Amino acid sequence: MTLTRVRLKRFTAFEDLDLEPSPGINAIVGANGTGKTHLMKVCYAACEVSKSGESFTDKLVNVFLPSGRGHWRLVKRQRKGSNATVEVHRAEQCLRTSFSNRAVIARYADTQQNRRWRDSRIESVYIPVKEMLANAPGFRSLYGNFQIHFESVYADILDRAFLPAPRQQSSVFQPLLRKLQEAIGGRVSIENEEFFLSVTKGGSIEFTLLAEGFRKLGLLWLLIRNGALSKGSVLFWDEPEANLNPKLYRLLMHVLLELQRNGVQIFLATHDYVILKELDLQMTNDDKVAFHALHHSEEDGEVVCHTSRDYLGIHPNAIAEAFSDVYDRTVERSLRGLTV
């Protein structure tokens, strides 16, 4: 069951945001400071609450990690007292929490609707910008026993990566696994919490010596192979282009589109023109893709969202504007000094 609506009022960067995600791929774009990562973290926290006994507010604190773990610091900065409200919907179910910037102790209202949210699990994966597999040995035990300053998404992604392969693997994603293996040159293996690339020609390379772009694709291979990404799951990926050579973007978008076609809902935040264009070029009319452009309103400066079902409808498109500006300046320099 996919996420169908997100409503944020006076939460972090948002005064009032109401967004309806696509059940397929949701590409989130916008300038720095418009809340792309925050939007995905809210949705991820909601998915995780469906599997745990945590309150929604507590999970938000663990995912965002505000100073002093104070939930009140997640309220949009204002001079006066204010309440933040967070709602995430799937079909007829709604998970909701509200808290004040004046209350040090959060008042949890575990409503019947919130309890219904936990009736069915939402399997989810959040891939942060920082690659974690190379730092895996000992991290989970350290995180579990000490208050180290890492958002829970870093420990969570390692938990997903360490999952063993299921007894019966679906044949649906086997072509994707083969394509990823071909790109990185082998399979990923685990020994004593350490990740290795078992190369096709023999031998293995520890992840600390492996190119970070290959580590990212290796992580994706693991998540598909062990079933963390399967029908009905939700993938959140913050800047998938980070440390990945642009030559691999085509493969990456192919894999994400195939996951979407097989029932995985995807949220990705990107600053990259080629990522968006690869998605645009490879998507078909049957694919469920939405482009969400977050930007500051010219009227009051608040963050608002414009959603389009096609690339040309993205507005404003800061990524394309920056690309066009570079192109125009390149042409101008090449023509400089020429006379007719």
Side-chain angles (χ1 to χ4, degrees), residues 54-59 61 69 71 96-99 104-111 114:
E54 283 181 285
S55 74
F56 192 19
T57 302
D58 282 345
K59 187 58 184 180
V61 168
R69 296 182 180 268
H71 61 274
R96 183 180 186 275
T97 188
S98 181
F99 43 85
V104 175
I105 300 176
R107 294 181 179 179
Y108 302 125
D110 192 9
T111 64
N114 282 13

Side-chain angles (χ1 to χ4, degrees), residues 50-228:
S50 74
K51 300 181 292 185
S52 69
E54 283 181 285
S55 74
F56 192 19
T57 302
D58 282 345
K59 187 58 184 180
L60 289 171
V61 168
N62 289 333
V63 167
F64 282 88
L65 206 60
S67 178
R69 296 182 180 268
H71 61 274
W72 61 90
R73 296 191 63 82
L74 297 176
V75 181
K76 188 174 185 291
R77 297 294 190 266
Q78 295 181 348
R79 292 179 181 272
K80 58 184 180 180
S82 182
N83 292 332
T85 302
V86 180
E87 290 182 7
V88 181
H89 298 246
R90 53 174 177 175
E92 300 302 319
Q93 296 180 0
C94 171
L95 180 67
R96 183 180 186 275
T97 188
S98 181
F99 43 85
S100 170
N101 61 1
R102 293 289 179 89
V104 175
I105 300 176
R107 294 181 179 179
Y108 302 125
D110 192 9
T111 64
Q112 180 65 28
Q113 185 75 309
N114 282 13
R115 289 193 291 272
R116 284 180 57 204
W117 184 268
R118 298 179 176 88
D119 290 342
S120 55
R121 295 163 58 98
I122 308 175
E123 298 298 336
S124 61
V125 174
Y126 188 103
I127 303 179
V129 177
K130 178 176 173 55
E131 191 279 323
M132 287 298 295
L133 298 192
N135 307 109
F139 181 85
R140 287 193 301 171
S141 59
L142 182 66
Y143 183 86
N145 291 301
F146 299 93
Q147 288 193 8
I148 57 175
H149 206 70
F150 277 85
E151 299 100 309
S152 63
V153 295
Y154 295 108
D156 291 349
I157 190 58
L158 287 178
D159 288 341
R160 304 300 190 277
F162 279 123
L163 288 173
R167 291 184 182 274
Q168 294 184 339
Q169 292 186 321
S170 171
S171 61
V172 174
F173 295 135
Q174 291 303 311
L176 297 184
L177 292 175
R178 288 193 292 269
K179 287 179 180 292
L180 288 169
Q181 286 172 210
E182 182 180 347
I184 63 178
R187 296 168 171 258
V188 180
S189 60
I190 307 171
E191 295 180 23
N192 299 321
E193 292 195 343
E194 192 172 2
F195 290 90
F196 294 85
L197 177 67
S198 298
V199 296
T200 305
K201 297 181 180 180
S204 62
I205 304 172
E206 52 269 52
F207 264 44
T208 51
L209 301 181
L210 193 65
E212 190 160 339
F214 285 168
R215 294 181 211 165
K216 279 200 161 186
L217 294 184
L219 171 61
L220 188 57
W221 183 89
L222 276 171
L223 296 172
I224 295 172
R225 190 204 59 162
N226 65 25

Side-chain angles (χ1 to χ4, degrees), residues 232-247:
S233 64
V234 187
L235 169 63
F236 303 91
W237 201 338
D238 201 352
E239 297 184 28
E241 68 272 10
N243 297 302
L244 194 66
N245 190 287
K247 287 185 177 181

